[in-house]
């Protein structure tokens, strides 16, 4: 058996890089406009988008203007292998409306809306997709300014390798 040289990539690493390259190509304008970010973390690729571009304030319904971006994202997700985890996050300002008892409800409802959009495409098997809501329990930055709160209100789509 041939051993891989240290500077050679494994098949998994090449597949991961292909996914990222495909995401960066397909979502170039969204990345340039800082609407979406893509990062590699261990065995997963994480696509993050802010709530302000994806959802009307206080709502879990995807904005019509964000649907073309979701379609692009779905086309890449369909080609990728592994589990797709959709996680909703909020800032630390409490919400209590007739629709949402708390940020837990809102963050979960937003993740579920993204999952529904993914599944509606028919391109991705339901058993590959999970929705999670984290409320304000996993902030990216301190909730000490309007700008930072906006960064914490987000949805993350992770593609986790098997």
């Amino acid at each position: 058996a041939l051993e891989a040289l240290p500077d050679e990539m494994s098949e998994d690493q090449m597949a991961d890089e292909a996914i990222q390259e495909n995401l960066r190509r397909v979502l170039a304008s969204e990345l340039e406009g800082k609407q979406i970010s893509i990062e590699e973390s261990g065995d997963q690729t994480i696509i993050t988008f802010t709530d302000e571009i994806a959802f009307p304030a206080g709502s879990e319904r995807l904005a019509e203007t964000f649907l073309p971006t979701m379609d692009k994202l779905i086309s890449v997700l369909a080609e990728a292998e592994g589990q797709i985890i959709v996680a909703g996050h909020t800032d630390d300002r409490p919400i209590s409306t007739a629709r949402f008892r708390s940020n837990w409800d809102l963050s979960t409802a937003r993740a579920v809306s993204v999952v529904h959009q993914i599944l509606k495409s028919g391109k991705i098997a339901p058993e590959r997709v999970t929705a999670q809501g984290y409320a304000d329990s996993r902030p990216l930055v301190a909730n000490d300014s309007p700008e930072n709160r906006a960064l914490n209100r987000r949805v993350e789509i992770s593609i986790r390798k098997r």
Side-chain angles (χ1 to χ4, degrees):
L2 292 172
E3 284 187 42
L5 297 171
D7 61 347
E8 286 185 16
M9 284 196 285
S10 71
E11 251 180 72
D12 284 348
Q13 287 171 314
M14 286 192 291
D16 294 350
E17 231 169 69
I19 291 166
Q20 285 186 38
E21 188 55 41
N22 206 0
L23 282 167
R24 290 184 199 292
R25 182 178 48 76
V26 170
L27 299 169
S29 62
E30 289 84 353
L31 285 163
E32 196 174 301
K34 305 266 190 267
Q35 297 173 323
I36 283 184
S37 68
I38 299 167
E39 73 175 273
E40 185 69 17
S41 177
D43 68 340
Q44 60 187 349
T45 299
I46 304 169
I47 303 122
T48 303
F49 49 89
T50 60
D51 75 322
E52 66 188 0
I53 65 151
F55 302 96
S59 171
E60 84 284 7
R61 299 180 69 92
L62 283 165
E64 289 291 321
T65 53
F66 190 67
L67 295 180
T69 300
M70 274 301 303
D71 290 342
K72 291 183 198 177
L73 198 49
I74 290 165
S75 69
V76 177
L77 292 174
E79 293 175 24
E81 286 185 24
Q83 285 299 115
I84 299 165
I85 297 116
V86 180
H89 300 267
T90 65
D91 61 25
D92 66 343
R93 289 181 304 182
I95 186 172
S96 183
T97 64
R99 176 82 180 91
F100 304 111
R101 291 170 295 180
S102 69
N103 281 328
W104 291 100
D105 284 355
L106 179 60
S107 64
T108 304
R110 285 181 169 174
V112 169
S113 288
V114 172
V115 167
H116 280 294
Q117 192 65 29
I118 290 170
L119 296 179
K120 197 167 97 175
S121 73
K123 296 177 181 179
I124 296 168
E127 59 271 14
R128 289 187 57 207
V129 187
T130 304
Q132 300 173 334
Y134 288 106
D136 62 344
S137 68
R138 297 188 181 185
L140 291 175
V141 292
N143 281 295
D144 56 6
S145 70
E147 296 78 22
N148 282 357
R149 282 192 187 89
L151 289 172
N152 289 329
R153 293 188 306 268
R154 68 200 187 277
V155 172
E156 295 174 342
I157 300 176
S158 302
I159 306 165
R160 192 168 293 159
K161 286 62 169 185
R162 294 172 212 276

